[in-house]
């Protein structure tokens, strides 16, 4: 009581505000206890698989020995990172990673937006639902199944290869999926086909949330369909597009590991050796766990820098950002 009586009035008010804030938070949590209980398994999953493994990042600065464990392994500082930067394949790995993901961004990012806009323009509700359903289905196929389909279609006797030979685009049947010069195109095309419906969901939802009066006003002003798309739809979903573009830019050093692993073979090393595959090959196949961890940490730090920069640019250019 003596301490409180000698506190300044402003400090007492702040203390009371903090107490009321804490009590308010507790009361809100208790009022939503059923929803909070549903979230607990997800929180536990994140702690186990996302936060606890972060402790083992220190392996990147060690010459890790599985038998000795983290505490018994030798500390080597930044030696694993310098080895990676000095590796003969460093620039090839960076070229493959940036090149493939940049093409994915340029080609794969706008297509779901275009698909959502075209879907919105369909007049028949029944046909629109049918198209949406069909476009979603490939997302639920595993990459093992999709890989098998690609191998069957793109082998030297496959459906697509035979068709290309018949129309004159190929002089003779070849194993397209095992030819490095065609591989990036196959990766991007197969991923776009698999995910176009799923990636378009958020754009379809954003378009559905546009005020109908804006379309009515555009029609009264004599705007055709293309003009309505340009002047109503695109400005209305600009924030959604900006946020998803920022997230995609932050993933320029990432990769769809499952997809790449399905097609992973030595003949394609020079075009498939992205950072994730490189880390897997060195870490799991060759047992260089510390080196692979250092490579993964480098990728994560660089991805954070890209994400931060893209977010700042988005905030300045479109007044939209993640935070």
């Amino acid at each position: 009581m003596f301490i409180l009586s000698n506190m300044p009035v402003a400090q007492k008010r702040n203390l009371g505000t903090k107490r009321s804030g804490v009590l308010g938070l507790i009361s809100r949590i208790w009022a939503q206890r059923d929803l909070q209980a549903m979230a607990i398994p997800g929180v536990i999953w994140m702690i186990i698989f996302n936060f606890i493994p972060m402790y083992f990042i220190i392996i990147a600065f060690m010459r890790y020995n599985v038998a000795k464990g983290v505490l018994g392994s030798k500390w080597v500082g930044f030696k694993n990172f310098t080895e990676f930067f000095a590796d003969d394949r460093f620039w090839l790995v960076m070229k493959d990673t940036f090149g493939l993901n940049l093409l994915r961004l340029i080609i794969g990012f706008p297509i779901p937006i275009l698909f959502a806009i075209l879907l919105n323009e369909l007049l028949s509700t029944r046909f629109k639902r049918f198209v949406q359903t069909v476009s979603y289905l490939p997302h639920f196929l595993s990459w093992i199944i999709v890989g098998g389909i690609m191998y069957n279609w793109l082998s030297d006797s496959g459906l697509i290869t035979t068709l290309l030979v018949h129309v004159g685009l190929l002089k003779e049947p070849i194993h397209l999926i095992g030819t490095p010069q065609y591989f990036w195109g196959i990766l991007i095309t197969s991923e776009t086909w698999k995910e176009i419906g799923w990636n378009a969901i958020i754009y379809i939802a954003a378009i559905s949330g546009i005020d109908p009066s804006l379309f009515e006003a555009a029609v009264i002003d004599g705007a055709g369909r293309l003009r309505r798309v340009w002047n109503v739809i695109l400005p209305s979903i600009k924030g959604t597009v900006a946020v998803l573009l920022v997230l995609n830019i932050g993933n320029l050093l990432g990769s769809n590991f499952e997809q790449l692993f399905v097609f992973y073979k030595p003949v394609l090393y020079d075009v498939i050796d992205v950072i994730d595959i490189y880390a897997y090959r060195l870490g799991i196949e060759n047992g260089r766990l510390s080196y692979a961890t250092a490579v993964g940490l480098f990728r994560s730090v660089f991805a954070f820098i890209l994400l931060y920069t893209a977010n700042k640019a988005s905030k300045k250019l479109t007044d939209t950002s993640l935070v």
Side-chain angles (χ1 to χ4, degrees), residues 228-292:
R228 292 199 296 270
V229 169
W230 186 259
N231 289 338
V232 178
I233 293 179
L234 290 180
S236 298
I237 65 173
K238 179 180 66 175
T240 303
V241 173
V243 169
L244 292 177
L245 181 61
V246 167
L247 293 174
N248 276 270
I249 290 175
N251 198 39
L252 276 178
L253 282 183
S255 61
N256 189 340
F257 181 82
E258 293 180 5
Q259 180 194 23
L260 294 173
F261 190 71
V262 167
F263 301 117
Y264 173 67
K265 58 177 64 177
V267 71
L268 297 171
Y269 273 173
D270 287 345
V271 292
I272 202 175
D273 215 11
V274 298
I275 288 181
D276 286 347
I277 292 292
Y278 178 80
Y280 165 81
R281 186 158 51 84
L282 273 294
I284 304 300
E285 293 185 356
N286 294 356
R288 300 178 63 184
L289 299 179
S290 298
Y291 186 81

Side-chain angles (χ1 to χ4, degrees), residues 172-190:
E172 58 183 5
I174 59 174
H175 192 63
L176 288 173
I177 205 164
T179 306
Q181 67 193 75
Y182 301 120
F183 189 67
W184 282 10
I186 292 171
L187 283 180
I188 294 169
T189 303
S190 61

Side-chain angles (χ1 to χ4, degrees), residues 56-304:
F56 295 96
I57 287 176
I58 61 175
I59 293 174
F61 304 95
M62 296 178 171
R63 189 66 68 196
Y64 181 66
N65 186 304
V66 177
K68 295 180 180 179
V70 174
L71 299 179
S73 299
K74 182 182 178 181
W75 186 270
V76 296
F78 290 94
K79 188 175 180 180
N80 291 315
F81 295 92
T82 56
E83 285 183 12
F84 175 53
F85 298 145
D87 194 313
D88 293 338
R89 297 189 67 84
F90 173 76
W91 291 112
L92 177 64
V93 169
M94 296 302 292
K95 176 184 75 68
D96 286 349
T97 305
F98 267 114
L100 180 57
N101 286 300
L102 195 58
L103 282 176
R104 276 177 170 160
L105 184 65
I106 294 172
I107 298 173
F109 182 75
I111 289 178
I113 302 174
L114 179 61
F115 178 71
I117 292 173
L118 292 175
L119 204 60
N120 182 70
E121 294 300 311
L122 291 177
L123 298 178
S124 172
T125 303
R126 181 175 298 179
F127 183 65
K128 183 186 297 186
R129 290 175 180 174
F130 172 76
V131 173
Q132 279 186 275
T133 303
V134 171
S135 66
Y136 295 162
L137 288 179
H139 170 78
F140 299 100
L141 299 176
S142 72
W143 273 110
I144 298 297
I145 297 174
V146 175
I149 294 173
M150 292 296 108
Y151 273 109
N152 286 329
W153 285 358
L154 299 170
S155 65
D156 50 5
S157 60
L159 174 66
I160 294 179
T161 306
T162 304
L163 181 62
L164 293 176
V165 171
H166 280 304
V167 298
L169 294 177
L170 289 178
K171 294 181 179 180
E172 58 183 5
I174 59 174
H175 192 63
L176 288 173
I177 205 164
T179 306
Q181 67 193 75
Y182 301 120
F183 189 67
W184 282 10
I186 292 171
L187 283 180
I188 294 169
T189 303
S190 61
E191 184 172 17
T192 302
W193 166 74
K194 186 176 184 296
E195 302 296 342
I196 181 173
W198 186 261
N199 291 337
I201 290 176
I202 192 167
Y203 300 114
I204 294 171
I207 293 172
S208 301
I210 299 174
D211 188 350
S213 63
L214 296 176
F215 292 103
E216 294 171 2
V219 171
I220 292 172
D221 290 339
R225 286 194 173 189
L226 289 178
R227 184 59 64 182
R228 292 199 296 270
V229 169
W230 186 259
N231 289 338
V232 178
I233 293 179
L234 290 180
S236 298
I237 65 173
K238 179 180 66 175
T240 303
V241 173
V243 169
L244 292 177
L245 181 61
V246 167
L247 293 174
N248 276 270
I249 290 175
N251 198 39
L252 276 178
L253 282 183
S255 61
N256 189 340
F257 181 82
E258 293 180 5
Q259 180 194 23
L260 294 173
F261 190 71
V262 167
F263 301 117
Y264 173 67
K265 58 177 64 177
V267 71
L268 297 171
Y269 273 173
D270 287 345
V271 292
I272 202 175
D273 215 11
V274 298
I275 288 181
D276 286 347
I277 292 292
Y278 178 80
Y280 165 81
R281 186 158 51 84
L282 273 294
I284 304 300
E285 293 185 356
N286 294 356
R288 300 178 63 184
L289 299 179
S290 298
Y291 186 81
T293 305
V295 173
L297 181 57
F298 162 77
R299 192 204 75 168
S300 299
V301 171
F302 204 96
F304 174 77

Side-chain angles (χ1 to χ4, degrees), residues 6-50:
N6 284 278
M7 279 186 181
V9 175
Q11 193 172 352
K12 289 180 181 179
R13 287 177 180 173
N14 290 337
L15 182 60
T17 303
K18 289 179 181 178
R19 285 180 176 175
S20 62
V22 172
L23 292 175
L25 177 62
I26 294 173
S27 64
R28 287 197 299 273
I29 291 175
W30 179 250
Q32 300 174 350
R33 55 188 178 275
D34 295 335
L35 295 176
Q36 300 295 338
M38 292 174 62
I40 288 174
V43 173
I44 293 174
W45 184 91
M46 288 187 64
I47 291 172
I48 294 174
F49 293 101
N50 291 88

